[in-house]
Amino acid sequence: MVGIVIVSHSKLLALGVQQLAVQMVQGNVPLAVAAGIEDAENPLGTDPMQVYEAIASVFSDDGVLVLMDLGSALMSAEMAIEFLPEAQRKQVYLCEAPLVEGAIAAVVAAAAGKNIQQVIAEARDALVAKATQLGIVSGQLSVVSGEFESHSEYPTQEIRLTVSNRLGLHARPAALFVATASRFQSQIKVKNLTRNTEFVRGDSINQVAILGVRQGHELAISATGADADEALAALQALFATNFGEDDTALPPVTTQHQVTPATPGELSGIAASPGVAIAPVVHYQSPIIPVPQYHVDNPETEWRRLQTAIHTAQQEIQALFSHASIQIGDAEAAIFDAHLLFLEDPVLLEAVHERILDHHLNAEAAWQAVVDEVANSYRTLEDSYLQERVEDVVDVGQRVLRLLVGNVPSELHLAEPAILVATDLTPSDTAALDPTKVLGICTTHGSATSHSAIIARTLGIPAVLGVDTDVLLLEDGTLMALDGESGKAWVEPEPDILDLLEAKREAWQTATQEAQAAAHQPAITRDGKQVRVFANIGSISDVQVAVANGAEGVGLLRTEFLYLGRTNAPTEEEQYTVYQAIAQVLDGRPLIIRTLDVGGDKPLPYIVKVPEANPFLGWRGIRFCLDHPDLFKTQLRAILRASAGHNIKVMLPMIATVTEVRAAKAILNEAQAELKQANIAFDKAIAVGIMIEVPAAVAIADQLAGEVDFFSIGTNDLSQYVMAGDRTNPRVASLADALHPAVLRMVQQTVQAAHAAGIWVGLCGELAADTLATPILLGLGLDELSVNPQTIPVIKQAIAQLSVDEAVAIAASALQQDSATQVRNLVQQLTHK
Ligand code: PEP
Ligand code: MG
């Protein structure tokens, strides 16, 4: 493989470039640095000997490429070559490419196995991508209109694939396609052969979606560039794994439109979410945002203003995403991923950029014009499913517009329970609804497969969509009855209809209450063993849903939500207020507060400023907190203060060593001593536990058990660390399966160590919410399972159907299987699921 050497006057600069480059290829390329000089007073400079050593360290017959910053770096590099044996000199190339961009392009090409000439060509072309993004061609700002610059030095490779997902490349698979295509340097284009479309850019969510790809369609995907092979292989893997979708999870077809002739006062629509609601109507209209249009003198400032709004919108969507994934599950919440990609769509951004920069149009008008164009192109498609994606485009477009215009209230506040009447509800509007106030939804637009409908179903709000627009003329307060199962609504219903609906509502409510009531019973096996079922939560509103669903406590409060999406850390007072409020709702039930677990995939931009080559193995969780003792102590003080009079426990994330536990406990002791000194109340016997999510912690679980009061196993992280399979990398993500016997054996080892030391052990990874895993976890002896609030009733039910002997036998056999698939088959066979 071609080796790369970076020569710079500054060691910091060179190491930074090295870090960036290594991140691109996960350290897969021989890369050495020769930078700075051994002079503490004046460390800037270059040393030919250092350059020589760097070249020698990465030398092979494949050749070495040397990239330099400027001035004496070139001279040092030239001299270094003279130190090399004659035979080697010809294989070392000094390259004029820009240092940062050139290094990155070169390592990617080298990692892809290119020869030295191809690596040089890539490094020289490294500025093209940047220029394209900035719209700069030959020193001029130019408009880039959905076309790539040509990379004619690389042959274009093409593959053909057929889509087997039931709904084709709808929002989520399209998002996955675009995210994967964007990871590669190569230019990816895609065309729908079945529909005979043109090629479009594979890194544009809108262009890919507009191809109208449905089940059975054949696509041609082309890649041009140094890593074309890898890009096509990654895309092919997505198709092979059906984009990770389980088609059985799609909304049932029975909720489709039911056509029934309407009688007076009766409205017929689409049965979008089952259940009966009887309540006064309240009209809801997403605030109409004025779109001012004017000439701007300074278009660069205007462009930056738009970028700030887009950045804030991304943060809002991230927050909504985390909230929604707890409320309605990861799969449904993933629709917000498509919203995020929309905001990164290069074609859309280029079009807005052109309007602002070339036409001196203000950001609001430029943004809205382009969003309208995109929405219209979806509308003109024949495909009804894709037409429905207009709601997502409009939703995310409005979000940015609202931020640009400022001061537009976006949230709905209802004083009394009501049925919401609207033209349409955006997914963001729907996800923010409070099911205790919004008893039903009736809209004139929408369909059973719209995201709003999916969210309404998961929130349990009855909904009838697509009714006649006359409903919009009703006055607020008019009584309405709505049956989300038949897709009908009645305005001021006649007494006989009201009686019938009330009876149906009662039956529905009784059925729901029975399920709820069972959810409020303890989870006890057929032979009398109780397993505590707790909730994983991430906000104050989650705790209410958790308690309503029968949570016996909170097994994991992810405190990250308090720190993310802001520009400074929350104060002790802010945190105390939130922890206390959550504990109050729990009314004596245990609340396990996990200390800050940022880093990894959850960066904290106002503190962690240096990008990491491998964030999952980096500065995250407890490692980060121990390096920020003030920030950590502030959180611990807030937790301790909230513990006075409440059943609160502290949990430390990402523990790998006994030293970390002791260091964290020392800071906790300091916080306790400070509070005592200041006469501030706290629970002096507060329990301290740790997450077991790093393989090292499993290996030393016996030692760790002597240090703490409880364990909670985090199988989300543990699986990816045990299997060395990054769950965000589609090529290996399926390895990180918590049902793999390798992971299950780790769970067994942890439980045994905990019980031998006399402490209890829970499990709060997603595995706990999988009913197929319930017999195994019960059989392995877990004392507590902590799951998302919606899943509590089904997990309790699954526990109640088992006996301990049966579970122990299933677990023993699961540990002996060869694969996660075999484990699944085994449980299915033995429990007849
Ligand atoms: C886990 O890793 O299993 C876990 C529960 O923590 P998180 O998902 O927040 O990393
Ligand atoms: Mg974790």
Side-chain angles (χ1 to χ4, degrees):
M1 192 185 289
V2 173
I4 316 281
V5 170
I6 294 164
V7 182
S8 168
H9 284 67
S10 155
K11 189 146 202 156
L12 284 178
L13 173 63
L15 292 176
V17 174
Q18 183 184 34
Q19 195 177 20
L20 275 174
V22 165
Q23 190 174 22
M24 294 288 156
V25 294
Q26 274 87 44
N28 225 355
V29 169
L31 189 151
V33 160
I37 48 173
E38 295 297 317
D39 178 351
E41 300 271 293
N42 294 301
L44 296 184
T46 57
D47 170 3
M49 223 30 227
Q50 255 198 58
V51 182
Y52 161 75
E53 280 164 9
I55 295 173
S57 73
V58 296
F59 185 85
S60 78
D61 285 346
D62 290 337
V64 175
L65 180 71
V66 182
L67 293 152
M68 302 138 289
D69 58 12
L70 68 175
S72 72
L74 278 70
M75 278 151 55
S76 295
E78 282 170 344
M79 279 171 72
I81 290 191
E82 285 172 21
F83 299 152
L84 288 168
E86 177 85 44
Q88 292 187 357
R89 287 184 204 162
K90 290 196 294 296
Q91 279 138 291
V92 179
Y93 295 79
L94 305 188
C95 178
E96 77 285 10
L99 189 68
V100 179
E101 293 85 352
I104 288 164
V107 291
V108 172
K114 302 292 169 198
N115 65 34
I116 184 81
Q117 294 306 337
Q118 290 168 320
V119 174
I120 294 172
E122 269 298 296
R124 284 186 175 141
D125 263 359
L127 282 183
V128 172
K130 198 172 182 181
T132 307
Q133 174 131 11
L134 294 175
I136 297 165
V137 176
S138 312
Q140 293 289 313
L141 276 174
S142 77
V143 179
V144 185
S145 58
E147 274 302 313
F148 286 114
E149 291 284 318
S150 86
H151 266 203
S152 53
E153 69 269 31
Y154 292 104
T156 295
Q157 306 189 36
E158 193 174 302
I159 52 171
R160 291 179 174 214
L161 296 169
T162 302
V163 175
S164 43
N165 301 43
R166 204 175 101 196
L167 289 176
L169 283 198
H170 63 93
R172 274 172 275 157
L176 210 49
F177 183 99
V178 171
T180 306
S182 311
R183 283 210 328 264
F184 296 92
Q185 266 208 335
S186 293
Q187 297 162 354
I188 311 291
K189 292 188 189 175
V190 51
K191 102 182 188 180
N192 187 339
L193 294 167
T194 311
R195 288 216 156 134
N196 204 14
T197 66
E198 296 294 315
F199 267 111
V200 298
R201 285 177 61 156
D203 61 352
S204 161
I205 183 73
N206 292 306
Q207 294 209 347
V208 170
I210 285 168
L211 288 176
V213 180
R214 302 311 308 267
Q215 188 178 36
H217 283 191
E218 194 189 7
L219 305 187
I221 304 171
S222 76
T224 315
D227 53 3
D229 287 341
E230 287 84 346
L232 292 179
L235 291 168
Q236 196 156 13
L238 287 181
F239 283 73
T241 54
N242 220 12
F243 289 81
E245 292 211 324
D246 173 7
D247 282 352
T248 54
L250 289 168
V253 181
T254 48
T255 54
Q256 296 292 331
H257 200 162
Q258 312 227 335
V259 185
T260 327
T263 54
E266 180 182 315
L267 301 163
S268 211
I270 295 160
S273 175
V276 174
I278 303 170
V281 303
V282 166
H283 285 274
Y284 175 70
Q285 194 177 27
S286 292
I288 297 169
I289 308 174
V291 186
Q293 181 166 340
Y294 50 89
H295 176 95
V296 290
D297 291 334
N298 190 340
E300 274 85 14
T301 312
E302 200 62 7
W303 173 240
R304 277 199 294 278
R305 194 163 75 82
L306 177 67
Q307 285 179 313
T308 309
I310 289 177
H311 181 65
T312 312
Q314 284 166 331
Q315 290 181 329
E316 284 185 3
I317 295 170
Q318 281 288 5
L320 202 56
F321 176 77
S322 327
H323 178 70
S325 49
I326 288 166
Q327 289 266 343
I328 62 177
D330 280 352
E332 306 298 10
I335 57 171
F336 291 110
D337 269 351
H339 286 206
L340 287 172
L341 274 179
F342 180 88
L343 292 176
E344 286 167 17
D345 188 326
V347 177
L348 172 117
L349 295 177
E350 282 156 13
V352 184
H353 188 260
E354 178 200 334
R355 281 180 163 75
I356 296 178
L357 272 286
D358 290 8
H359 305 299
H360 285 234
L361 198 57
N362 62 310
E364 293 88 345
W367 173 255
Q368 197 51 38
V370 175
V371 170
D372 285 347
E373 267 176 24
V374 176
N376 283 336
S377 34
Y378 279 94
R379 282 189 189 105
T380 55
L381 290 169
E382 282 161 26
D383 189 311
S384 61
Y385 186 82
L386 284 166
Q387 281 177 7
E388 286 157 19
R389 302 288 69 81
V390 170
E391 71 179 77
D392 295 318
V393 173
V394 172
D395 189 8
V396 74
Q398 292 285 101
R399 183 180 292 281
V400 174
L401 193 60
R402 177 172 48 76
L403 290 162
L404 282 170
V405 173
N407 287 334
V408 184
S410 70
E411 285 186 16
L412 170 71
H413 299 286
L414 284 180
E416 294 300 326
I419 290 177
L420 220 58
V421 169
T423 315
D424 205 355
L425 287 175
T426 65
S428 310
D429 285 337
T430 317
L433 295 180
D434 173 358
T436 63
K437 287 280 163 52
V438 179
L439 302 188
I441 297 172
C442 182
T443 68
T444 58
H445 281 66
S447 77
T449 51
S450 67
H451 288 148
S452 302
I454 294 171
I455 297 172
R457 277 199 290 278
T458 24
L459 290 178
I461 304 177
V464 175
L465 309 184
V467 301
D468 195 277
T469 49
D470 282 356
V471 76
L472 300 174
L473 304 174
L474 295 177
E475 282 194 19
D476 275 3
T478 311
L479 186 70
M480 179 183 270
L482 174 153
D483 178 3
E485 200 173 41
S486 66
K488 284 187 192 166
W490 292 263
V491 177
E492 293 185 327
E494 297 294 329
D496 55 336
I497 292 188
L498 203 54
D499 287 348
L500 274 173
L501 283 172
E502 268 168 356
K504 188 167 179 179
R505 181 177 62 171
E506 216 160 287
W508 182 63
Q509 278 172 346
T510 313
T512 317
Q513 274 158 9
E514 270 169 16
Q516 290 290 335
H520 287 271
Q521 303 298 320
I524 300 177
T525 60
R526 293 204 318 267
D527 49 355
K529 176 174 167 143
Q530 183 176 351
V531 179
R532 299 192 296 274
V533 182
F534 281 19
N536 293 346
I537 66 165
S539 69
I540 302 188
S541 55
D542 294 339
V543 70
Q544 272 141 359
V545 185
V547 170
N549 279 298
E552 292 156 22
V554 162
L556 168 64
L557 168 62
R558 291 183 166 99
T559 54
E560 292 75 64
F561 77 100
L562 284 166
Y563 293 77
L564 298 172
R566 48 189 295 158
T567 50
N568 50 10
T571 61
E572 180 182 319
E573 208 55 36
E574 277 176 86
Q575 295 188 57
Y576 165 66
T577 311
V578 172
Y579 302 148
Q580 208 199 27
I582 292 176
Q584 255 155 16
V585 177
L586 284 169
D587 196 19
R589 298 175 184 89
L591 165 60
I592 300 180
I593 304 183
R594 182 176 73 182
T595 58
L596 184 61
D597 185 27
V598 286
D601 55 342
K602 296 170 273 191
L604 196 55
Y606 50 90
I607 299 183
V608 188
K609 299 196 173 80
V610 191
E612 294 185 286
N614 199 336
F616 278 116
L617 301 184
W619 209 28
R620 59 171 297 199
I622 198 68
R623 308 163 184 193
F624 175 86
C625 284
L626 291 176
D627 286 345
H628 292 87
D630 290 344
L631 180 109
F632 190 37
K633 204 198 282 178
T634 303
Q635 180 170 41
L636 292 173
R637 282 177 57 104
I639 296 172
L640 284 169
R641 282 175 57 197
S643 72
H646 292 121
N647 189 353
I648 288 180
K649 305 174 203 302
V650 190
M651 181 157 73
L652 310 168
M654 277 297 288
I655 292 292
T657 68
V658 172
T659 318
E660 286 166 346
V661 180
R662 293 190 183 143
K665 280 170 67 179
I667 300 179
L668 182 71
N669 285 342
E670 276 174 35
Q672 287 173 323
E674 283 172 14
L675 293 179
K676 202 167 163 197
Q677 176 83 17
N679 247 338
I680 299 173
F682 64 94
D683 174 7
K684 295 190 181 57
I686 191 164
V688 179
I690 56 172
M691 298 271 307
I692 301 286
E693 51 187 345
V694 177
V698 179
I700 55 164
D702 54 337
Q703 295 174 335
L704 291 168
E707 303 285 329
V708 294
D709 302 306
F710 65 92
F711 286 163
S712 186
I713 307 176
T715 43
N716 305 344
D717 277 315
L718 187 60
S719 320
Q720 71 165 345
Y721 294 138
V722 170
M723 305 303 295
D726 178 351
R727 62 182 189 225
T728 62
N729 178 345
R731 274 178 285 191
V732 296
S734 59
L735 262 178
D737 188 330
L739 274 175
H740 193 285
V743 183
L744 297 177
R745 288 179 188 204
M746 292 247 154
V747 173
Q748 181 194 41
Q749 208 178 319
T750 308
V751 175
Q752 284 172 348
H755 287 172
I759 64 169
W760 65 265
V761 53
L763 193 148
C764 62
E766 285 300 309
L767 182 68
D770 182 349
T771 48
L772 272 185
T774 313
I776 303 175
L777 300 181
L778 191 65
L780 292 178
L782 282 143
D783 303 295
E784 173 241 72
L785 298 179
S786 194
V787 299
N788 72 68
Q790 306 292 340
T791 319
I792 291 170
V794 279
I795 294 297
K796 286 193 167 182
Q797 197 176 38
I799 293 170
Q801 285 163 358
L802 288 160
S803 75
V804 174
D805 286 350
E806 187 186 5
V808 168
I810 295 176
S813 185
L815 297 182
Q816 300 311 319
Q817 301 302 308
D818 292 345
S819 64
T821 311
Q822 279 191 4
V823 172
R824 283 196 175 82
N825 292 342
L826 173 93
V827 181
Q828 260 154 0
Q829 272 165 19
L830 296 180
T831 59
H832 314 292
K833 276 189 190 252

mmCIF file of all heavy atoms in Angstrom, residues 556 558 594 597 602 620 691 693 714-717 764-765, ligand 1:
data_model
loop_
_atom_site.group_PDB
_atom_site.id
_atom_site.type_symbol
_atom_site.label_atom_id
_atom_site.label_comp_id
_atom_site.label_asym_id
_atom_site.label_seq_id
_atom_site.Cartn_x
_atom_site.Cartn_y
_atom_site.Cartn_z
ATOM 1 N N LEU A 556 -33.098 3.906 33.969
ATOM 2 C CA LEU A 556 -32.079 4.699 33.271
ATOM 3 C C LEU A 556 -32.670 6.052 32.914
ATOM 4 O O LEU A 556 -33.581 6.135 32.094
ATOM 5 C CB LEU A 556 -31.637 3.971 31.990
ATOM 6 C CG LEU A 556 -30.796 4.784 30.993
ATOM 7 C CD1 LEU A 556 -29.465 5.192 31.601
ATOM 8 C CD2 LEU A 556 -30.541 3.980 29.716
ATOM 9 N N ARG A 558 -31.449 9.077 31.045
ATOM 10 C CA ARG A 558 -30.328 9.579 30.231
ATOM 11 C C ARG A 558 -30.293 11.092 30.427
ATOM 12 O O ARG A 558 -31.214 11.786 29.996
ATOM 13 C CB ARG A 558 -30.536 9.235 28.763
ATOM 14 C CG ARG A 558 -30.431 7.749 28.439
ATOM 15 C CD ARG A 558 -30.577 7.520 26.942
ATOM 16 N NE ARG A 558 -30.172 6.199 26.519
ATOM 17 C CZ ARG A 558 -31.023 5.185 26.279
ATOM 18 N NH1 ARG A 558 -32.320 5.354 26.433
ATOM 19 N NH2 ARG A 558 -30.566 4.013 25.885
ATOM 20 N N ARG A 594 -28.387 8.387 35.469
ATOM 21 C CA ARG A 594 -27.068 8.111 34.911
ATOM 22 C C ARG A 594 -26.350 9.431 34.700
ATOM 23 O O ARG A 594 -26.912 10.363 34.114
ATOM 24 C CB ARG A 594 -27.193 7.356 33.583
ATOM 25 C CG ARG A 594 -25.831 7.017 33.009
ATOM 26 C CD ARG A 594 -25.924 6.198 31.751
ATOM 27 N NE ARG A 594 -26.373 7.010 30.624
ATOM 28 C CZ ARG A 594 -26.576 6.520 29.402
ATOM 29 N NH1 ARG A 594 -26.410 5.228 29.169
ATOM 30 N NH2 ARG A 594 -26.970 7.298 28.427
ATOM 31 N N ASP A 597 -23.307 11.079 29.771
ATOM 32 C CA ASP A 597 -22.659 10.099 28.867
ATOM 33 C C ASP A 597 -22.487 10.706 27.486
ATOM 34 O O ASP A 597 -22.948 10.154 26.498
ATOM 35 C CB ASP A 597 -23.512 8.818 28.805
ATOM 36 C CG ASP A 597 -22.845 7.720 27.977
ATOM 37 O OD1 ASP A 597 -21.614 7.720 27.887
ATOM 38 O OD2 ASP A 597 -23.566 6.879 27.421
ATOM 39 N N LYS A 602 -22.534 11.216 20.693
ATOM 40 C CA LYS A 602 -23.259 12.374 21.228
ATOM 41 C C LYS A 602 -22.258 13.464 21.612
ATOM 42 O O LYS A 602 -21.929 13.616 22.782
ATOM 43 C CB LYS A 602 -24.062 11.954 22.468
ATOM 44 C CG LYS A 602 -25.154 10.950 22.167
ATOM 45 C CD LYS A 602 -25.766 10.372 23.426
ATOM 46 C CE LYS A 602 -25.003 9.182 23.924
ATOM 47 N NZ LYS A 602 -25.612 8.389 24.969
ATOM 48 N N ARG A 620 -15.427 9.492 26.072
ATOM 49 C CA ARG A 620 -16.859 9.548 26.336
ATOM 50 C C ARG A 620 -17.169 9.094 27.754
ATOM 51 O O ARG A 620 -16.329 8.541 28.452
ATOM 52 C CB ARG A 620 -17.632 8.720 25.301
ATOM 53 C CG ARG A 620 -17.276 7.269 25.232
ATOM 54 C CD ARG A 620 -18.238 6.495 24.337
ATOM 55 N NE ARG A 620 -19.600 6.507 24.853
ATOM 56 C CZ ARG A 620 -20.541 5.640 24.487
ATOM 57 N NH1 ARG A 620 -20.278 4.704 23.610
ATOM 58 N NH2 ARG A 620 -21.766 5.711 25.005
ATOM 59 N N MET A 691 -22.842 1.204 34.841
ATOM 60 C CA MET A 691 -23.272 0.525 33.624
ATOM 61 C C MET A 691 -22.190 -0.495 33.287
ATOM 62 O O MET A 691 -21.001 -0.188 33.365
ATOM 63 C CB MET A 691 -23.344 1.504 32.448
ATOM 64 C CG MET A 691 -24.318 2.623 32.578
ATOM 65 S SD MET A 691 -25.956 2.242 31.971
ATOM 66 C CE MET A 691 -25.705 1.654 30.325
ATOM 67 N N GLU A 693 -21.014 -1.988 30.167
ATOM 68 C CA GLU A 693 -21.194 -1.878 28.716
ATOM 69 C C GLU A 693 -19.869 -1.935 27.965
ATOM 70 O O GLU A 693 -19.824 -1.772 26.760
ATOM 71 C CB GLU A 693 -21.982 -0.610 28.370
ATOM 72 C CG GLU A 693 -21.452 0.662 28.993
ATOM 73 C CD GLU A 693 -22.355 1.876 28.756
ATOM 74 O OE1 GLU A 693 -23.237 1.823 27.904
ATOM 75 O OE2 GLU A 693 -22.139 2.887 29.452
ATOM 76 N N GLY A 714 -25.580 -2.471 29.800
ATOM 77 C CA GLY A 714 -25.962 -1.669 28.618
ATOM 78 C C GLY A 714 -25.614 -2.460 27.368
ATOM 79 O O GLY A 714 -24.514 -2.346 26.837
ATOM 80 N N THR A 715 -26.553 -3.270 26.910
ATOM 81 C CA THR A 715 -26.226 -4.161 25.785
ATOM 82 C C THR A 715 -26.074 -3.414 24.464
ATOM 83 O O THR A 715 -25.513 -3.962 23.525
ATOM 84 C CB THR A 715 -27.301 -5.254 25.624
ATOM 85 O OG1 THR A 715 -28.571 -4.643 25.767
ATOM 86 C CG2 THR A 715 -27.099 -6.360 26.616
ATOM 87 N N ASN A 716 -26.568 -2.174 24.382
ATOM 88 C CA ASN A 716 -26.408 -1.444 23.113
ATOM 89 C C ASN A 716 -24.922 -1.243 22.828
ATOM 90 O O ASN A 716 -24.435 -1.520 21.746
ATOM 91 C CB ASN A 716 -27.083 -0.071 23.157
ATOM 92 C CG ASN A 716 -28.543 -0.170 23.533
ATOM 93 O OD1 ASN A 716 -29.113 -1.241 23.468
ATOM 94 N ND2 ASN A 716 -29.149 0.934 23.936
ATOM 95 N N ASP A 717 -24.210 -0.745 23.837
ATOM 96 C CA ASP A 717 -22.776 -0.552 23.649
ATOM 97 C C ASP A 717 -22.022 -1.863 23.790
ATOM 98 O O ASP A 717 -21.104 -2.141 23.030
ATOM 99 C CB ASP A 717 -22.238 0.478 24.659
ATOM 100 C CG ASP A 717 -22.472 1.889 24.155
ATOM 101 O OD1 ASP A 717 -22.211 2.132 22.962
ATOM 102 O OD2 ASP A 717 -22.932 2.735 24.933
ATOM 103 N N CYS A 764 -30.454 -2.491 30.814
ATOM 104 C CA CYS A 764 -31.204 -1.353 30.276
ATOM 105 C C CYS A 764 -30.944 -1.106 28.795
ATOM 106 O O CYS A 764 -31.372 -0.108 28.244
ATOM 107 C CB CYS A 764 -30.937 -0.089 31.093
ATOM 108 S SG CYS A 764 -29.216 0.421 31.070
ATOM 109 N N GLY A 765 -30.244 -2.039 28.122
ATOM 110 C CA GLY A 765 -30.080 -1.907 26.669
ATOM 111 C C GLY A 765 -31.376 -2.304 25.971
ATOM 112 O O GLY A 765 -32.297 -2.841 26.607
HETATM 113 C C1 PEP B 1 -26.502 0.882 26.356
HETATM 114 O O1 PEP B 1 -25.380 1.134 25.904
HETATM 115 O O2 PEP B 1 -27.045 -0.246 26.279
HETATM 116 C C2 PEP B 1 -27.291 1.940 27.024
HETATM 117 C C3 PEP B 1 -28.425 1.675 27.623
HETATM 118 O O3 PEP B 1 -26.799 3.200 26.984
HETATM 119 P P1 PEP B 1 -26.955 4.175 25.705
HETATM 120 O O4 PEP B 1 -27.869 3.481 24.729
HETATM 121 O O5 PEP B 1 -27.496 5.453 26.238
HETATM 122 O O6 PEP B 1 -25.549 4.267 25.224
#
